[in-house]
């Protein structure tokens, strides 16, 4: 009898040691009293139950953060984060964060599919807008702006069918970026080829009509194994006749800027646009590029390099060089004033007066300062406003005059500055970017600002009051290599097209059109 009792007690201790719940509670009791209390509140947990992927530190600020543990709000208990020897740790902060983001993305996608009618602003829907307009509470301008916002919030995602002469390539090549031309009837695409390198193409949007949503991809066997740093449409022979690309150099091959005729991607070529006639300029280390539509810099393009800006005339080959203190990552020419705006890695934004020669005095017409690298600059229609985005997780907006001046934008905030009063009149919130080279899309006609964040969410703000109208999750799992590329237009497919948003991610193209 005594022997059997001793064996039962020994067997009980062994079973408790093999029970993961028992081990967890024991560890918590030795570690911290808060852990012990959370374990009691969690109730009975089965031996084969796996913890949820929700993080307590992110979900609840009232729960203390314990080093080496994370709190699961669903289980109401702490779980231990193992050191991760040989990279076999099933619970890591990065893995937990990734699962949380994927769970949030799937939830938002489900909500978007279920909710057909969305409201961008509280108290504003189609019937209330119409009623307030009839009663005289809204003028025509405000009514049109709010109607655009309502349509943006109700856009539905539909997959676009891409037709091509090589369907197998469509299934393997991944979209890197898309860029719409001025009339929004063509998309220039850069695709990453599975075997390495890049491939270029032009998508005709003239067939982008509901309900079929079919487009045709025009391809050309023009490959490069070099990284494409920057792309813009160029108007050499006529409007958007060429594409200007900045290519990085590799090994003994220097970088270059290439003017690629758009006629290379169509079967029939108009007179003067013979296929194969392209221009290439040896410009090493170009980070950005821009084409000039200003008559005072006709047939010219600019390239932003490391500590230098080059302005090149395509016809004469003449070049102007301007020295800078940092790498130039973003550029845009003004249309009326002879100015070239540049955004630098140091956070400085400056305008070059193209009437000055090279390093002459007074060629910097305007100077602004961000707290991190500037990735995009956009000059607005009146050329008194400029919008810029940086890598501090912010989108900054500066209201500026042509006179020489300076202003600073505070870190981690989205602000609209009036440089005449040096006061902040608006601030935008929500954009996420810490390291990626991401463009910014401004559409004053519709009164919206569109930007894709590093977290793969496409956000749309009201330009007039900085209200976040909509956050669109990516149709594919979040990944650093699969950040969507978007293009918004008030007339997708040409002059008679409808407003909408195009999104390219992985091998797919999606259309969010007005309903």
């Amino acid at each position: 009898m005594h022997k059997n009792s001793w064996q039962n007690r020994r067997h009980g201790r062994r079973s408790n040691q093999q029970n993961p719940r028992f081990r967890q509670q024991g560890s918590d009791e030795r570690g911290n009293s808060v852990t012990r209390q959370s374990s009691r509140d969690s109730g009975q947990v089965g031996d084969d139950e796996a913890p949820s992927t929700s993080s307590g530190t992110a979900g609840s600020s009232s729960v203390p953060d314990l080093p080496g543990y994370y709190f699961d709000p669903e289980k109401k208990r702490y779980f231990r984060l193992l050191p991760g020897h040989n990279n076999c740790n099933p619970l890591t902060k990065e893995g937990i964060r990734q699962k949380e983001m994927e769970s949030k993305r799937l939830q938002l996608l489900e909500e978007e599919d279920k909710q057909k009618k969305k409201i961008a602003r509280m108290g504003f829907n189609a019937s209330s807008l119409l009623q307030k307009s009839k009663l005289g509470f809204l003028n025509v301008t405000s009514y049109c702006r709010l109607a655009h916002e309502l349509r943006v919030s109700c856009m539905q995602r539909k997959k676009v069918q891409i037709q091509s002469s090589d369907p197998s390539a469509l299934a393997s090549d991944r979209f890197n970026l898309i860029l719409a031309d001025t009339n929004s009837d063509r998309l220039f695409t850069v695709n990453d080829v599975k075997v390495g390198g890049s491939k270029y193409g032009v998508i005709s949007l003239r067939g982008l009509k509901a309900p079929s949503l079919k487009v045709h991809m025009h391809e050309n066997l023009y490959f490069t194994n070099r990284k494409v740093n920057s792309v813009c449409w160029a108007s050499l022979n006529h409007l958007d006749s060429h594409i200007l690309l900045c290519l990085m150099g590799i090994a003994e091959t220097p970088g270059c800027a290439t003017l690629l005729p758009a006629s290379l991607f169509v079967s029939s070529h108009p007179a003067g646009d013979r296929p194969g006639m392209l221009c290439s300029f040896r410009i090493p280390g170009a980070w950005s590029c821009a084409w000039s539509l200003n008559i005072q810099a006709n047939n010219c393009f600019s390239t932003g390099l490391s500590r230098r800006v080059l302005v090149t005339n395509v016809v004469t080959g003449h070049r102007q060089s301007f020295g800078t203190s940092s790498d130039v990552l973003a550029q845009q020419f003004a249309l009326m004033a002879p100015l070239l705006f540049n955004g630098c890695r140091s956070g400085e934004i400056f305008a070059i007066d193209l009437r000055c020669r090279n390093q002459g005095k007074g060629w910097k017409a305007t100077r602004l300062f961000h707290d991190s690298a500037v990735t995009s600059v956009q000059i607005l229609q009146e050329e008194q406003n400029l919008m810029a985005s940086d890598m501090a997780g912010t989108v900054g907006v500066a209201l500026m005059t042509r006179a020489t001046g300076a202003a600073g934008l505070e870190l981690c905030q989205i602000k609209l500055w009036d440089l005449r009063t040096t006061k902040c009149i608006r601030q935008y919130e929500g954009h996420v970017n810490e390291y990626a080279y991401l463009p910014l899309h401004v559409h004053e006609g519709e009164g919206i600002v569109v930007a894709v964040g590093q977290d793969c969410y496409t956000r749309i703000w009201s330009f007039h009051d900085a209200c976040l109208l909509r956050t669109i999750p990516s149709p594919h799992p979040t990944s650093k290599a699969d950040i969507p590329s978007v293009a918004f237009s008030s007339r997708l497919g040409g002059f008679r097209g409808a407003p909408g948003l195009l999104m390219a991610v992985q091998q797919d193209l999606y259309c969010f059109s007005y309903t």
Side-chain angles (χ1 to χ4, degrees):
M1 176 68 88
H2 178 72
K3 181 177 180 181
N4 293 336
S5 176
W6 177 81
Q7 289 179 351
N8 290 336
R9 289 196 298 270
R10 181 180 179 183
H11 179 71
R13 287 196 300 269
R14 184 181 306 168
S15 62
N16 289 336
Q17 291 175 359
Q18 292 176 355
N19 192 326
R21 181 167 61 93
F22 181 85
R23 291 201 309 269
Q24 180 63 45
Q25 291 177 352
S27 175
D28 293 344
E29 290 173 358
R30 292 190 299 268
N32 193 288
S33 61
V34 177
T35 309
R36 183 171 59 251
Q37 181 65 31
S38 302
S39 298
R40 294 195 193 102
D41 296 339
S42 62
Q44 297 297 325
V45 181
D47 294 346
D48 56 349
E49 187 175 10
S52 170
T53 58
S54 301
S55 173
T57 58
S60 177
S61 58
S62 61
V63 179
D65 188 10
L66 300 181
Y69 292 84
Y70 85 98
F71 183 80
D72 192 316
E74 296 180 2
K75 300 291 188 297
K76 295 183 180 180
R77 60 171 292 183
Y78 286 87
F79 286 92
R80 192 173 188 177
L81 292 172
L82 303 178
H85 298 292
N86 299 324
N87 296 324
C88 294
N89 184 10
L91 293 177
T92 61
K93 290 185 177 180
E94 185 66 26
I96 294 170
R97 189 180 301 112
Q98 188 69 23
K99 290 182 179 180
E100 284 181 351
M101 293 176 62
E102 180 63 14
S103 176
K104 179 183 177 182
R105 185 190 69 86
L106 293 176
Q107 182 181 356
L108 289 177
L109 282 177
E110 185 179 357
E111 291 177 358
E112 285 215 339
D113 293 337
K114 289 182 179 180
Q115 188 177 0
K116 300 298 180 182
K117 294 183 179 181
K118 305 176 180 65
I119 299 177
R121 300 175 186 269
M122 294 300 296
F124 281 93
N125 52 34
S127 59
S128 65
L129 280 180
L130 186 60
Q131 184 178 6
K132 290 180 181 181
S133 177
K134 289 181 178 180
L135 294 175
F137 295 132
L138 293 174
N139 56 30
V140 176
T141 304
S142 299
Y143 175 78
C144 294
R145 175 172 59 85
L146 292 173
H148 272 298
E149 294 180 0
L150 187 62
R151 290 181 177 180
V152 165
S153 63
C154 295
M155 293 188 303
Q156 296 292 319
R157 181 184 73 254
K158 296 180 180 179
K159 191 172 181 180
V160 179
Q161 181 181 353
I162 305 176
Q163 299 175 340
S164 174
S165 57
D166 188 6
S168 61
L170 294 177
S172 59
D173 300 343
R174 303 163 68 92
F175 282 105
N176 190 341
L177 65 88
I178 58 174
L179 183 66
D181 64 354
T182 305
N183 295 326
S184 300
D185 58 0
R186 292 177 298 175
L187 276 182
F188 179 74
T189 66
V190 178
N191 293 70
D192 293 332
V193 184
K194 190 175 182 180
V195 297
S198 300
K199 183 174 66 175
Y200 310 141
V202 170
I203 295 179
S204 175
L205 300 179
R206 294 180 181 177
L208 193 65
K209 297 179 181 179
S212 59
L213 294 179
K214 295 181 180 180
V215 296
H216 189 82
M217 167 79 81
H218 299 278
E219 297 175 327
N220 190 289
L221 296 179
Y222 188 85
F223 290 87
T224 174
N225 56 357
R226 289 180 287 178
K227 179 183 177 182
V228 179
N229 270 348
S230 183
V231 179
C232 69
W233 285 92
S235 303
L236 183 58
N237 299 338
H238 51 80
L239 183 63
D240 298 335
S241 61
H242 288 67
I243 302 103
L244 177 64
L245 302 98
C246 284
L247 306 176
M248 283 290 290
I250 56 169
E252 298 180 357
T253 304
C256 66
T258 300
L259 272 172
L260 194 64
S263 58
L264 287 174
F265 301 96
V266 295
S267 55
S268 60
H269 310 284
D273 259 0
R274 297 180 181 177
M277 295 183 63
L278 55 88
C279 305
S280 185
F281 301 87
R282 183 173 178 177
I283 302 178
W287 293 103
S288 58
C289 64
W291 181 264
S292 172
L293 294 176
N294 193 308
I295 195 166
Q296 299 188 52
N298 195 25
N299 295 327
C300 290
F301 71 91
S302 67
T303 46
L305 297 88
S306 297
R307 303 178 181 273
R308 191 164 53 130
V309 173
L310 284 181
V311 179
T312 306
N313 188 301
V314 177
V315 178
T316 64
H318 178 263
R319 285 185 180 179
Q320 286 181 281
S321 178
F322 301 89
T324 66
S325 59
S326 180
D327 301 339
V328 180
L329 304 181
Q331 294 182 307
Q332 189 180 13
F333 283 93
L335 184 60
M336 296 181 290
L339 298 176
L340 169 62
F341 289 87
N342 305 267
C344 298
R345 190 184 298 276
S346 62
E348 180 186 8
I349 300 175
F350 63 89
I352 297 176
D353 191 336
L354 300 175
R355 295 169 295 186
C356 299
R357 293 186 177 180
N358 298 345
Q359 299 290 347
K361 295 182 179 180
W363 59 269
K364 280 192 177 183
T366 304
R367 297 184 70 187
L368 305 171
F369 295 95
H370 280 234
D371 290 319
S372 63
V374 176
T375 61
S376 180
V377 292
Q378 294 290 326
I379 305 169
L380 306 186
Q381 290 177 0
E382 297 298 328
E383 296 194 358
Q384 294 180 352
N385 300 345
L386 179 140
M387 182 172 283
S389 61
D390 56 34
M391 292 186 183
T394 67
V395 179
V397 182
L399 180 64
M400 57 184 201
T401 61
R402 295 181 185 176
T404 303
L409 297 181
E410 296 181 10
L411 184 64
C412 295
Q413 301 218 6
I414 305 168
K415 290 187 176 182
L416 178 65
W417 291 84
D418 187 340
L419 296 187
R420 293 164 291 188
T421 60
T422 63
K423 290 183 179 179
C424 175
I425 30 183
R426 290 176 210 153
Q427 65 178 16
Y428 298 70
E429 296 179 355
H431 186 50
V432 178
N433 185 19
E434 297 178 355
Y435 59 82
Y437 185 83
L438 300 174
L440 184 66
H441 309 273
V442 185
H443 302 274
E444 292 183 83
E446 289 72 30
I448 62 172
V449 178
V450 183
V452 180
Q454 175 188 322
D455 56 354
C456 297
Y457 285 90
T458 302
R459 294 175 175 86
I460 304 177
W461 295 268
S462 170
F463 174 75
H464 299 87
D465 60 3
C467 176
L468 182 60
L469 302 176
R470 187 169 179 183
T471 302
I472 304 176
S474 173
H476 293 269
T478 302
S479 171
K480 296 179 181 178
D482 294 323
I483 298 178
S485 180
V486 300
F488 184 91
S489 175
S490 59
R491 52 184 190 276
L492 282 177
F495 180 73
R496 297 183 179 180
L501 175 76
L502 288 175
M503 176 186 294
V505 55
Q506 292 192 8
Q507 294 88 5
D508 298 326
L509 182 66
Y510 299 90
C511 180
F512 297 77
S513 60
Y514 280 16
T515 55

